[in-house]
Amino acid sequence: MCGIVGAVSERDVQGILLEGLRRLEYRGYDSAGMAVIDGGRVTQRAREVGKVASLAEAIETNPLSGHLGIAHTRWATHGEPSQVNAHPHMSGDRLAIVHNGIIENYQELREELKAAGFEFTSQTDTEVVAHLIEQYYRKHSNLYDAVKAAIARLRGAYALAVVHADEPDHLVVCREGSPLVIGVGIGENFIASDQLALLPVTDRFMFLEEGDIADIRRDAVSIHDREGMPVERKIIRFEHGSDSAEKGEYRHFMLKEIYEQPAVIKATMEGRITDTRVLEQALGTDAANLLQDVNHVQIIACGTSYHAGMVARYWIEELAGVPCSVEVASEFRYRKHVIQRDTLFLCIS
Ligand code: GLU
């Protein structure tokens, strides 16, 4: 699950999107792409396998120009890394979409949409969402309503950003299980899967909550929650040094992360421990009571986090005397499991 950037502005958005993608490169990815809608109401698209630099080269030769756009770095989950599977995905030549996450019921939706006459050009779960929104767009003639109707049919995790050439003044975004943040500008607005992507253009952010759907225009943002009620999400100013998305003096991001560990651990612990103990409140207002009742700890994680979990297991059993198990998240998600009463789940992402 990789990166999303989007912008609606008075200025040309290609440069903003490209810089946003560069700042998301610290996350692994296999391909990158961008779709831009111009005043003439055409959806232009570029997609390349490999690095953002390849996409940059492609759009230097054939620039995309316009005031509304979305861009993506992909970490393939459905379909090999290839140009046809790279995002944005389109339905027809007007609707474009980028997606982070996994649509679990994509196979049945794909069959349904094929039967309705939609042609698929990729193996991704994402293309299903593009056609599904287009199908509802034909009915509602309104992008926001079409996205709302489509996501009601999705099972899985997603952050989505959608644009349509017939509505060249706004983008529609939503999230369920994957992060999405709105960057608030002056007379322009942005979206991204990680605020770091937008630091060159704004330091004010609204974090969408699970189930939120937002309509984003140059001068207005309107957000509705899962129940369809209008909601306000607080604007939070970004305060840390804005260098976290840059490699700085280091040769690559992994090296930078290794050297940053002492500072990161210190910053994470700050306000959460005293000299002798952990402050339970740091884990939530009722944590002290809840922790009293825990008689088993279940750690769920992937990759490096899983290995960290295996170390934590030794510590938890040794220091707290509470039995602890560790499992790979993808296994846990898809198997039938038995959960003991009063199990504390520790999910590391
Ligand atoms: N599941 C989608 C795909 O395979 C999105 C992957 C991602 O989050 O980058 O294209």
Side-chain angles (χ1 to χ4, degrees), residues 256-283:
K256 183 173 185 239
E257 284 178 13
I258 290 168
Y259 279 94
E260 277 179 344
Q261 281 181 12
V264 170
I265 291 170
K266 184 164 174 275
T268 308
M269 296 295 197
E270 240 162 51
R272 297 187 162 100
I273 53 167
T274 66
D275 284 343
T276 53
R277 55 185 278 267
V278 175
L279 298 169
E280 302 93 334
Q281 310 89 295
L283 304 170

Tab-separated table of all heavy atoms in Angstrom, residues 256-283:
chain	number	residue	atom	x	y	z
A	256	LYS	N	19.354	6.235	6.643
A	256	LYS	CA	18.875	7.377	7.417
A	256	LYS	C	18.031	6.888	8.612
A	256	LYS	O	18.197	7.349	9.742
A	256	LYS	CB	18.031	8.259	6.513
A	256	LYS	CG	17.539	9.507	7.186
A	256	LYS	CD	16.845	10.424	6.216
A	256	LYS	CE	16.458	11.715	6.882
A	256	LYS	NZ	15.033	11.970	6.824
A	257	GLU	N	17.160	5.910	8.350
A	257	GLU	CA	16.303	5.396	9.420
A	257	GLU	C	17.130	4.767	10.540
A	257	GLU	O	16.828	4.921	11.709
A	257	GLU	CB	15.305	4.378	8.865
A	257	GLU	CG	14.184	5.065	8.116
A	257	GLU	CD	13.189	4.081	7.513
A	257	GLU	OE1	13.240	2.897	7.878
A	257	GLU	OE2	12.384	4.512	6.682
A	258	ILE	N	18.197	4.049	10.153
A	258	ILE	CA	19.048	3.409	11.167
A	258	ILE	C	19.667	4.481	12.073
A	258	ILE	O	19.598	4.401	13.294
A	258	ILE	CB	20.138	2.545	10.502
A	258	ILE	CG1	19.494	1.312	9.860
A	258	ILE	CG2	21.203	2.131	11.518
A	258	ILE	CD1	20.410	0.520	8.924
A	259	TYR	N	20.220	5.528	11.463
A	259	TYR	CA	20.872	6.570	12.267
A	259	TYR	C	19.881	7.414	13.053
A	259	TYR	O	20.229	8.017	14.056
A	259	TYR	CB	21.757	7.440	11.373
A	259	TYR	CG	23.088	6.775	11.120
A	259	TYR	CD1	23.293	5.999	9.987
A	259	TYR	CD2	24.123	6.861	12.047
A	259	TYR	CE1	24.500	5.340	9.766
A	259	TYR	CE2	25.341	6.212	11.831
A	259	TYR	CZ	25.521	5.451	10.696
A	259	TYR	OH	26.697	4.798	10.485
A	260	GLU	N	18.647	7.469	12.566
A	260	GLU	CA	17.648	8.283	13.263
A	260	GLU	C	17.033	7.578	14.463
A	260	GLU	O	16.288	8.186	15.226
A	260	GLU	CB	16.516	8.648	12.297
A	260	GLU	CG	16.834	9.855	11.443
A	260	GLU	CD	15.698	10.171	10.482
A	260	GLU	OE1	14.828	9.304	10.282
A	260	GLU	OE2	15.701	11.284	9.951
A	261	GLN	N	17.302	6.272	14.620
A	261	GLN	CA	16.600	5.518	15.662
A	261	GLN	C	16.677	6.133	17.073
A	261	GLN	O	15.645	6.270	17.717
A	261	GLN	CB	17.080	4.064	15.687
A	261	GLN	CG	16.437	3.255	14.573
A	261	GLN	CD	16.870	1.802	14.567
A	261	GLN	OE1	17.482	1.330	15.510
A	261	GLN	NE2	16.544	1.110	13.507
A	262	PRO	N	17.865	6.547	17.542
A	262	PRO	CA	17.888	7.098	18.914
A	262	PRO	C	16.970	8.304	19.068
A	262	PRO	O	16.194	8.390	20.033
A	262	PRO	CB	19.356	7.499	19.106
A	262	PRO	CG	20.109	6.670	18.121
A	262	PRO	CD	19.196	6.470	16.955
A	263	ALA	N	16.999	9.210	18.078
A	263	ALA	CA	16.173	10.415	18.177
A	263	ALA	C	14.688	10.063	18.087
A	263	ALA	O	13.851	10.630	18.800
A	263	ALA	CB	16.556	11.396	17.069
A	264	VAL	N	14.370	9.115	17.212
A	264	VAL	CA	12.968	8.739	17.026
A	264	VAL	C	12.422	8.062	18.288
A	264	VAL	O	11.323	8.360	18.750
A	264	VAL	CB	12.810	7.815	15.799
A	264	VAL	CG1	11.409	7.219	15.741
A	264	VAL	CG2	13.115	8.574	14.513
A	265	ILE	N	13.233	7.186	18.877
A	265	ILE	CA	12.784	6.502	20.099
A	265	ILE	C	12.579	7.524	21.216
A	265	ILE	O	11.573	7.508	21.917
A	265	ILE	CB	13.791	5.395	20.517
A	265	ILE	CG1	13.725	4.252	19.496
A	265	ILE	CG2	13.496	4.877	21.922
A	265	ILE	CD1	14.812	3.200	19.643
A	266	LYS	N	13.510	8.476	21.314
A	266	LYS	CA	13.393	9.506	22.355
A	266	LYS	C	12.088	10.299	22.154
A	266	LYS	O	11.313	10.492	23.086
A	266	LYS	CB	14.612	10.432	22.277
A	266	LYS	CG	14.654	11.474	23.353
A	266	LYS	CD	16.065	12.076	23.446
A	266	LYS	CE	16.067	13.225	24.419
A	266	LYS	NZ	15.647	14.482	23.794
A	267	ALA	N	11.849	10.738	20.898
A	267	ALA	CA	10.655	11.537	20.624
A	267	ALA	C	9.379	10.729	20.900
A	267	ALA	O	8.390	11.262	21.394
A	267	ALA	CB	10.679	12.012	19.172
A	268	THR	N	9.433	9.422	20.612
A	268	THR	CA	8.242	8.592	20.809
A	268	THR	C	7.945	8.400	22.289
A	268	THR	O	6.792	8.404	22.719
A	268	THR	CB	8.457	7.211	20.139
A	268	THR	OG1	8.870	7.429	18.803
A	268	THR	CG2	7.181	6.393	20.142
A	269	MET	N	9.007	8.236	23.077
A	269	MET	CA	8.842	7.996	24.515
A	269	MET	C	8.451	9.267	25.278
A	269	MET	O	7.863	9.193	26.354
A	269	MET	CB	10.156	7.477	25.121
A	269	MET	CG	10.584	6.136	24.598
A	269	MET	SD	9.409	4.878	25.057
A	269	MET	CE	10.377	3.411	24.781
A	270	GLU	N	8.806	10.420	24.704
A	270	GLU	CA	8.595	11.674	25.417
A	270	GLU	C	7.156	11.824	25.900
A	270	GLU	O	6.217	11.628	25.128
A	270	GLU	CB	8.911	12.849	24.476
A	270	GLU	CG	10.032	13.718	24.999
A	270	GLU	CD	10.607	14.575	23.902
A	270	GLU	OE1	9.809	15.240	23.227
A	270	GLU	OE2	11.840	14.555	23.723
A	271	GLY	N	7.002	12.164	27.171
A	271	GLY	CA	5.659	12.360	27.705
A	271	GLY	C	4.942	11.058	28.007
A	271	GLY	O	3.809	11.056	28.482
A	272	ARG	N	5.576	9.920	27.718
A	272	ARG	CA	4.882	8.644	27.924
A	272	ARG	C	5.523	7.802	29.023
A	272	ARG	O	4.962	6.808	29.426
A	272	ARG	CB	4.861	7.845	26.617
A	272	ARG	CG	4.089	8.559	25.522
A	272	ARG	CD	3.936	7.669	24.306
A	272	ARG	NE	2.889	8.151	23.447
A	272	ARG	CZ	3.098	8.866	22.345
A	272	ARG	NH1	4.321	9.163	21.970
A	272	ARG	NH2	2.084	9.279	21.606
A	273	ILE	N	6.722	8.201	29.447
A	273	ILE	CA	7.369	7.445	30.529
A	273	ILE	C	7.932	8.402	31.581
A	273	ILE	O	8.212	9.565	31.286
A	273	ILE	CB	8.543	6.563	30.023
A	273	ILE	CG1	9.543	7.401	29.203
A	273	ILE	CG2	8.054	5.398	29.203
A	273	ILE	CD1	10.856	6.690	28.955
A	274	THR	N	8.096	7.881	32.811
A	274	THR	CA	8.873	8.605	33.812
A	274	THR	C	10.195	7.860	33.913
A	274	THR	O	10.448	6.943	33.132
A	274	THR	CB	8.161	8.573	35.181
A	274	THR	OG1	8.167	7.215	35.619
A	274	THR	CG2	6.732	9.081	35.073
A	275	ASP	N	11.022	8.206	34.893
A	275	ASP	CA	12.299	7.509	35.048
A	275	ASP	C	12.119	6.039	35.348
A	275	ASP	O	12.960	5.205	35.054
A	275	ASP	CB	13.119	8.152	36.169
A	275	ASP	CG	13.725	9.459	35.687
A	275	ASP	OD1	13.766	9.653	34.445
A	275	ASP	OD2	14.139	10.274	36.520
A	276	THR	N	11.004	5.711	35.995
A	276	THR	CA	10.867	4.332	36.465
A	276	THR	C	9.751	3.539	35.808
A	276	THR	O	9.699	2.324	35.924
A	276	THR	CB	10.601	4.316	37.987
A	276	THR	OG1	9.487	5.179	38.236
A	276	THR	CG2	11.819	4.787	38.766
A	277	ARG	N	8.804	4.215	35.181
A	277	ARG	CA	7.683	3.440	34.639
A	277	ARG	C	7.027	4.081	33.408
A	277	ARG	O	7.245	5.247	33.100
A	277	ARG	CB	6.633	3.213	35.722
A	277	ARG	CG	6.133	4.506	36.366
A	277	ARG	CD	5.191	4.182	37.504
A	277	ARG	NE	3.870	3.909	36.997
A	277	ARG	CZ	2.924	4.838	36.893
A	277	ARG	NH1	3.150	6.069	37.274
A	277	ARG	NH2	1.740	4.520	36.426
A	278	VAL	N	6.194	3.274	32.760
A	278	VAL	CA	5.411	3.761	31.625
A	278	VAL	C	4.143	4.421	32.170
A	278	VAL	O	3.541	3.913	33.105
A	278	VAL	CB	4.999	2.574	30.718
A	278	VAL	CG1	4.079	3.033	29.600
A	278	VAL	CG2	6.232	1.879	30.171
A	279	LEU	N	3.752	5.551	31.601
A	279	LEU	CA	2.500	6.188	32.018
A	279	LEU	C	1.354	5.536	31.254
A	279	LEU	O	1.255	5.678	30.039
A	279	LEU	CB	2.555	7.687	31.704
A	279	LEU	CG	3.648	8.468	32.437
A	279	LEU	CD1	3.794	9.865	31.861
A	279	LEU	CD2	3.327	8.528	33.927
A	280	GLU	N	0.499	4.824	31.984
A	280	GLU	CA	-0.568	4.071	31.293
A	280	GLU	C	-1.479	5.005	30.492
A	280	GLU	O	-1.987	4.629	29.435
A	280	GLU	CB	-1.464	3.301	32.282
A	280	GLU	CG	-0.757	2.315	33.154
A	280	GLU	CD	-0.356	2.931	34.480
A	280	GLU	OE1	-0.177	4.163	34.546
A	280	GLU	OE2	-0.217	2.173	35.454
A	281	GLN	N	-1.684	6.232	31.001
A	281	GLN	CA	-2.603	7.156	30.307
A	281	GLN	C	-2.165	7.418	28.869
A	281	GLN	O	-2.979	7.735	28.012
A	281	GLN	CB	-2.684	8.526	31.003
A	281	GLN	CG	-2.946	8.500	32.476
A	281	GLN	CD	-1.636	8.427	33.269
A	281	GLN	OE1	-0.910	7.432	33.178
A	281	GLN	NE2	-1.334	9.464	34.011
A	282	ALA	N	-0.853	7.263	28.637
A	282	ALA	CA	-0.355	7.489	27.283
A	282	ALA	C	-0.987	6.505	26.303
A	282	ALA	O	-1.001	6.723	25.094
A	282	ALA	CB	1.161	7.348	27.257
A	283	LEU	N	-1.524	5.420	26.843
A	283	LEU	CA	-2.153	4.405	25.988
A	283	LEU	C	-3.666	4.586	25.901
A	283	LEU	O	-4.365	3.763	25.326
A	283	LEU	CB	-1.828	3.003	26.514
A	283	LEU	CG	-0.337	2.682	26.661
A	283	LEU	CD1	-0.135	1.382	27.409
A	283	LEU	CD2	0.327	2.606	25.299
